[in-house]
Amino acid sequence: MYKKVFIETFDTIFKNFDKLLIKLFLPTFIISLLNFSFPELISMEFLNNTNISNLDINQLLLPLIVIFILVMTNISIAVTVHRIAVLGIDSVPTLGSVIFGIREFRMLFKMIQYSFIVAIPVVLISLIPIVGIFIGIFLGIILSSRLSLVFPACACDEKFGFLNAWRATKRYKLLTIVMVILFPFIFSFTVGLVYSIAIEFLIKIVGPNISFLYSILDVFLAVFFVSALSSVYKLVNPRLLNENLKDKEQPKKKIQISSTNNDHSVTIDDRYKTNFESLKKELYEQYKAHGFTEIVYDRANSWILKNPHEEIPYISIRYENNEYYIYVRSSVKPNLSLLKKT
């Protein structure tokens, strides 16, 4: 389970690397331009030098605008990566998500809700003397990891709220903590540290004009974190309910079955009452009696089962274009419960 999420996280990035470069070019350029043009407006030094007693709204107007654009641009990156990871590369326009689109503002609102839902109980519990701070940190990790699944759902226009996220992660508490919090943090810290040293070295040689490399590094780390979150979401909520990507007016396709000698293929519309995990389980239970006990490939949308004592026979299932494709090579015909009902 952990291995699957780990592999899916990197697959999303590296298998779509060239297209991600195109779709994320504009937001990356905007972030780099703002960081290069207004470095003093988005730093702690600016806040420290701001005189609160003589605060002028005009003095804060430009920093607020810059910060707002940066926030919306980062949200645009998150939406783009979430949709590619969950729905596929074609779910995002050529130049990526619209920075000031309706979907992006929904994500912003969801982030504000998320902040309050996590922060309020954590702050209140932290007020307990001595042990409060430790309980608060632990509670914050649990809440933030489990409730964060609303973000890939929001990016994919799914009806999946905070209560849904809490219920869906009931059996995946440790997984969400490890793969949403710990693993991305360790990876980001390690990669960020190494590349920050390299960038500092280059700046000393070339000059401060290449400081935009920090922005590119930040985008890469953000893409990695979002990809990890999307991979967990796909595991926890494997059956997509996106009304925008499925034409509900069309009737379900008939289950297609064909056989040639000992080779069999079955195509199942995903609107039947089944899912990828249940089909895998049924196929494994049936074919293990015939010696098929070795799972040689197990991804979110592809699975292969082999007989370790024979080279040619195998059982495979893949999910693509809203259909399940089952293929049996050199063995008996699949005997699925769904086939008995149709």
Side-chain angles (χ1 to χ4, degrees), residues 158-174:
E158 295 284 334
K159 294 180 180 179
F160 190 86
F162 291 103
L163 188 58
N164 298 111
W166 186 258
R167 289 172 177 170
T169 54
K170 184 178 181 180
R171 296 187 298 112
Y172 302 96
K173 299 183 186 74
L174 185 58

Side-chain angles (χ1 to χ4, degrees), residues 56-116:
D56 184 2
I57 189 64
N58 295 323
Q59 185 182 3
L60 285 178
L61 185 58
L62 181 58
L64 289 175
I65 292 174
V66 171
I67 291 171
F68 176 71
I69 295 174
L70 281 173
V71 169
M72 294 306 297
T73 307
N74 279 281
I75 288 175
S76 171
I77 292 173
V79 170
T80 296
V81 178
H82 278 313
R83 291 184 68 83
I84 290 174
V86 179
L87 302 176
I89 196 74
D90 294 329
S91 64
V92 180
T94 304
L95 296 179
S97 169
V98 180
I99 295 177
F100 297 104
I102 295 175
R103 187 180 290 125
E104 286 68 29
F105 278 104
R106 280 206 305 265
M107 181 76 89
L108 176 63
F109 180 67
K110 191 71 71 174
M111 289 174 61
I112 295 171
Q113 287 181 302
Y114 172 84
S115 301
F116 279 104

Side-chain angles (χ1 to χ4, degrees), residues 2 14 67 78 85 101 110 187 194 206 215 222 229 280 290 312 324:
Y2 290 87
F14 294 109
I67 291 171
K110 191 71 71 174
F187 178 86
V194 172
V206 180
S215 299
L229 184 56
K280 285 197 307 185
H290 300 277
I312 297 177
Y324 301 104

